[in-house]
Amino acid sequence: MAIIKCPECGHQVSEKAPTCPACGVRIAGNIIRCPECGQTYLSDETLCPFCHNPSPAVKDDEEKASVTETTQSQQNGNPDAAKTEASGDAVPKQEKKKSHVTLVVSFIFALAVAGVFWYYLDDANRQKEQHAYEYAVKSDDPMVLQQYLDSYKDFNEAHRDSIQSRLAHIQKTDTDWMNAVVSGTRDALLQYIKENPNSPHEAQARNKIDSIDFTVADKAKTMESYQAYLDEHPDGKYADQAKNEIDAIKATVILPEEEEMIRATFTKFFQSINSRNNDGVISTMRSTLSSFLGKINAGVPEIEEFVNRLYKSDITNMNWHILNDYKIRKSFTSEGEYEYEVEFSAEQNIERNDPSQPRYQKYKINAVVDSEGKISSFNMKK
């Protein structure tokens, strides 16, 4: 038993099956295998639909008919006609017409099959092109765009125009980027970003500008330069480093506002002594001083005693004048705050009743001022 294709629908079926399970055509006893090409077809076909060789059954019928006609011709005394029919030179007109119709039908069927195949193949290719276009139009890779153009030369013209335009834009963007990189200047990079918004190189360009700006700030090494970098790049790659540099500068550099605070503290201190204002003097100092005129952990009583000792009985007036020779050193305390070691000179001018006593003294002041402008240590010597 052999498995064959149903001549009607092409379904796989046993040659012994009564009918085709797919289309219902009769199989057993109704199938012929062509002796020329080996294909199977229905027995009512006069010609093999594949090689167009006459059916074996037709051949048998023709031979029988030929023998019969030959015999009749011989009986009727017409031996020439019998020879002609026996030789097969004449084919019945009906058989010729049937064979012609079969050829036409087979040709039309073949055209129909080819048309259907071409339709589905063309539709599949169009769908494939559509998917390739949708992928390419979202890509920034020139190789992907060029591959689409090479693969679909005869397809949707609008799609090709769109991809070619995108490819040209990406190529120009890449050229502009290379020119900006070669230039290496901040202005060239900014111009690139302006002319190519949302470029794939935009983030890289901004990173390069970030590095250039920090290099400029770090070369200057000033609070102003580092702060300018932070103003431009608050979340830049070097933001933390810039902040650390500012803190380091603050730890060593006396800012104008800090020097002004220190000057104001000592100006008030000596003005309060001049006016013999104990409360004014005390307000410039911490409640406890680590050292005051050599005394450790001095407080309000020691400060008041100092002011009273200055005004001896023969003194009628006193005027302290601070010289502008401040030397200030800045440092961190254990509490993480700033304090300032201050060294300067001050002159004491005295009006007194006893002319034999000195009227002028110059002192060297050594003191410490905290971050709130309060004196935490005070010592002086002539």
Side-chain angles (χ1 to χ4, degrees):
M1 179 180 68
I3 301 300
I4 63 173
K5 286 185 178 180
C6 174
E8 186 69 21
C9 66
H11 187 79
Q12 298 287 332
V13 64
S14 170
E15 65 178 355
K16 300 296 184 180
T19 61
C20 174
C23 65
V25 72
R26 186 163 63 87
I27 298 299
N30 194 34
I31 298 300
I32 294 177
R33 187 178 298 276
C34 178
E36 293 295 326
C37 66
Q39 298 291 335
T40 57
Y41 57 91
L42 297 176
S43 59
D44 59 358
E45 296 284 351
T46 60
L47 296 174
C48 173
F50 301 97
C51 67
H52 309 299
N53 192 56
S55 169
V58 172
K59 286 184 178 181
D60 292 341
D61 292 340
E62 289 177 351
E63 290 175 358
K64 290 178 182 179
S66 177
V67 171
T68 301
E69 291 178 1
T70 301
T71 303
Q72 290 178 352
S73 296
Q74 290 175 348
Q75 291 175 354
N76 295 330
N78 188 3
D80 293 334
K83 290 179 181 179
T84 300
E85 293 298 332
S87 65
D89 291 338
V91 179
K93 292 182 178 180
Q94 184 176 1
E95 293 297 335
K96 287 184 178 180
K97 184 176 180 180
K98 187 174 182 181
S99 175
H100 178 72
V101 171
T102 301
L103 286 173
V104 172
V105 171
S106 299
F107 179 72
I108 294 174
F109 177 76
L111 285 178
V113 171
V116 171
F117 175 77
W118 179 87
Y119 172 80
Y120 282 107
L121 178 62
D122 182 67
D123 183 64
N125 286 335
R126 290 183 182 279
Q127 290 185 12
K128 184 179 179 181
E129 183 274 338
Q130 180 67 28
H131 292 155
Y133 169 74
E134 291 174 356
Y135 175 75
V137 80
K138 296 177 182 178
S139 176
D140 293 321
D141 188 345
M143 294 183 63
V144 171
L145 302 178
Q146 189 60 54
Q147 184 178 7
Y148 170 86
L149 293 173
D150 294 341
S151 300
Y152 301 99
K153 296 180 179 180
D154 300 322
F155 280 78
N156 193 309
E157 192 66 24
H159 285 182
R160 287 182 58 81
D161 290 344
S162 174
I163 295 301
Q164 286 174 337
S165 175
R166 182 166 179 78
L167 179 60
H169 174 73
I170 291 175
Q171 290 173 338
K172 180 182 180 301
T173 299
D174 289 342
T175 300
D176 290 348
W177 171 240
M178 289 303 300
N179 292 336
V181 170
V182 170
S183 171
T185 64
R186 188 178 194 274
D187 289 343
L189 292 166
L190 286 173
Q191 185 68 19
Y192 170 80
I193 293 173
K194 180 180 178 181
E195 294 179 355
N196 300 276
N198 303 318
S199 160
H201 302 294
E202 181 176 351
Q204 193 174 354
R206 294 192 182 280
N207 283 336
K208 287 183 176 293
I209 293 172
D210 186 315
S211 298
I212 291 172
D213 287 350
F214 182 76
T215 299
V216 172
D218 200 42
K219 185 176 181 180
K221 292 189 179 301
T222 64
M223 285 185 57
E224 292 76 15
S225 65
Y226 289 119
Q227 189 59 53
Y229 168 81
L230 289 173
D231 292 342
E232 188 71 23
H233 308 278
D235 299 315
K237 291 188 299 182
Y238 307 97
D240 289 340
Q241 188 174 346
K243 292 174 184 177
N244 291 337
E245 294 292 343
I246 290 175
D247 290 340
I249 292 173
K250 284 182 177 180
T252 57
V253 175
I254 307 302
L255 303 178
E257 57 268 27
E258 293 173 319
E259 183 173 353
E260 180 63 27
M261 175 190 71
I262 293 168
R263 287 178 177 272
T265 296
F266 287 108
T267 297
K268 183 178 181 181
F269 173 82
F270 283 110
Q271 285 179 346
S272 297
I273 291 177
N274 291 338
S275 61
R276 205 168 182 175
N277 180 0
N278 287 356
D279 290 339
V281 174
I282 292 171
S283 68
T284 64
M285 298 188 169
R286 298 182 69 171
S287 58
T288 302
L289 280 71
S290 60
S291 175
F292 182 73
L293 301 178
K295 183 175 181 60
I296 305 301
N297 295 327
V300 172
E302 287 79 10
I303 297 171
E304 291 179 338
E305 182 184 355
F306 161 70
V307 175
N308 293 332
R309 277 205 323 266
L310 286 175
Y311 281 91
K312 296 179 180 181
S313 58
D314 68 320
I315 296 177
T316 59
N317 192 27
M318 184 182 300
N319 183 36
W320 287 84
H321 174 66
I322 300 174
L323 303 180
N324 290 320
D325 59 351
Y326 278 100
K327 295 180 181 178
I328 305 172
R329 290 183 297 276
K330 188 176 180 180
S331 62
F332 271 117
T333 67
S334 58
E335 290 80 15
E337 296 180 350
Y338 293 122
E339 68 176 11
Y340 309 89
E341 295 181 24
V342 186
E343 182 180 324
F344 63 95
S345 302
E347 295 177 337
Q348 181 189 33
N349 294 289
I350 305 171
E351 296 178 10
R352 57 197 323 162
N353 296 323
D354 187 354
S356 63
Q357 295 298 319
R359 295 175 178 272
Y360 170 83
Q361 292 288 347
K362 183 177 180 181
Y363 291 88
K364 179 68 70 175
I365 312 295
N366 290 285
V368 176
V369 178
D370 65 17
S371 59
E372 296 179 355
K374 298 289 186 179
I375 300 171
S376 61
S377 174
F378 184 86
N379 293 283
M380 66 180 186
K381 61 180 179 179
K382 293 181 182 180

